[in-house]
Amino acid sequence: MTTKINTVKNFPVVCVGGSAGGLDSYIRLLKNLPFDMGVAIVIVNHLRKVATFLHEILPKYTGMPVELITEKLEIMPNHVFIIPEKRDLHILNGEFRLKPISKPWGWPDVITVFMRSMTKNWDGKLIAVIVSGYDGDGAAALCGIKEAGGIIITQKPETAGQPDMPESAIDSGCVDFVLSPEQIARKIIKIANTESAAE
């Protein structure tokens, strides 16, 4: 069954974009997600220069394998994938592709870049989640995901350590649900179950 899913590449992908205060949101989200619900979780942390340690920290809070993304790594369900620093992230033919960061100065837009790539190159269900962080990375891609049939969820600003990114997402006018991280987990489970029943 797993081989078929990996070949078809039509399982749901959850892109979680965050920045300052994001670690708390990622932990609260992952602690409430089952390890076998059949979706891939991609955490796109809005980092430009600082090395990420999420792949070392987050395994404590989930039963899913947590991997730092490398070039041509295959995207698979029931895994958590972490973007490395100083890279733009894309997807092509079911694999991650890494490129030098396209916006090396000012606020990066790595979340927007990845979400737009997913919209163009992924056949399965897309779930975009914006959590705590500075600036508004990701917001510019949300309406495109919604037009492609995806679902947009953002963290309730009052539950975020830094509400800028959730507020920017809400301002896009394309958000479907505004929830706490725990509620976001429950919504993802419900969507995953619905997708599974439809197959």
Side-chain angles (χ1 to χ4, degrees):
M1 183 66 179
T2 302
T3 304
K4 182 182 177 185
I5 290 174
N6 288 348
T7 302
V8 175
K9 297 293 183 190
N10 64 354
F11 49 85
V13 173
V14 180
C15 175
V16 184
S19 178
L23 177 59
D24 174 69
S25 303
Y26 307 145
I27 290 171
R28 291 166 64 189
L29 177 63
L30 291 176
K31 281 172 70 174
N32 289 281
L33 289 175
F35 68 90
D36 59 352
M37 61 180 172
V39 309
I41 309 290
V42 184
I43 295 179
V44 185
N45 205 44
H46 177 104
L47 282 175
R48 186 170 66 252
K49 295 181 179 177
V50 182
T52 183
F53 294 100
L54 291 177
H55 59 297
E56 298 174 9
I57 297 168
L58 293 179
K60 301 171 189 172
Y61 304 99
T62 177
M64 291 182 273
V66 179
E67 296 185 59
L68 187 66
I69 294 168
T70 54
E71 179 68 9
K72 293 194 174 182
L73 178 67
E74 182 183 8
I75 187 166
M76 295 180 289
N78 304 322
H79 284 65
V80 179
F81 298 98
I82 310 293
I83 188 175
E85 69 277 3
K86 302 181 188 175
R87 293 290 184 271
D88 277 350
L89 181 62
H90 300 262
I91 194 158
L92 186 66
N93 300 325
E95 299 173 337
F96 291 109
R97 302 297 169 91
L98 295 168
K99 295 184 179 179
I101 196 163
S102 57
K103 193 179 176 188
W105 308 108
W107 292 109
D109 59 357
V110 291
I111 302 168
T112 296
V113 167
F114 179 64
M115 287 184 175
R116 284 178 171 161
S117 180
M118 289 295 298
T119 302
K120 293 177 184 175
N121 299 312
W122 188 253
D123 292 332
K125 190 76 170 182
L126 293 177
I127 305 167
V129 178
I130 300 293
V131 299
S132 177
Y134 286 118
D135 194 44
D137 193 7
L142 298 182
C143 292
I145 288 179
K146 188 159 187 174
E147 288 168 8
I151 294 173
I152 316 298
I153 309 171
T154 193
Q155 184 173 358
K156 277 184 184 175
E158 60 268 30
T159 70
Q162 175 47 249
D164 285 10
M165 282 175 55
E167 287 173 349
S168 294
I170 292 167
D171 288 345
S172 75
C174 290
V175 172
D176 296 298
F177 304 101
V178 180
L179 306 168
S180 69
E182 293 79 9
Q183 291 170 326
I184 293 172
R186 289 196 288 274
K187 182 61 69 175
I188 291 170
I189 293 167
K190 186 174 182 181
I191 295 166
N193 288 339
T194 301
E195 288 294 303
S196 179
E199 289 179 356

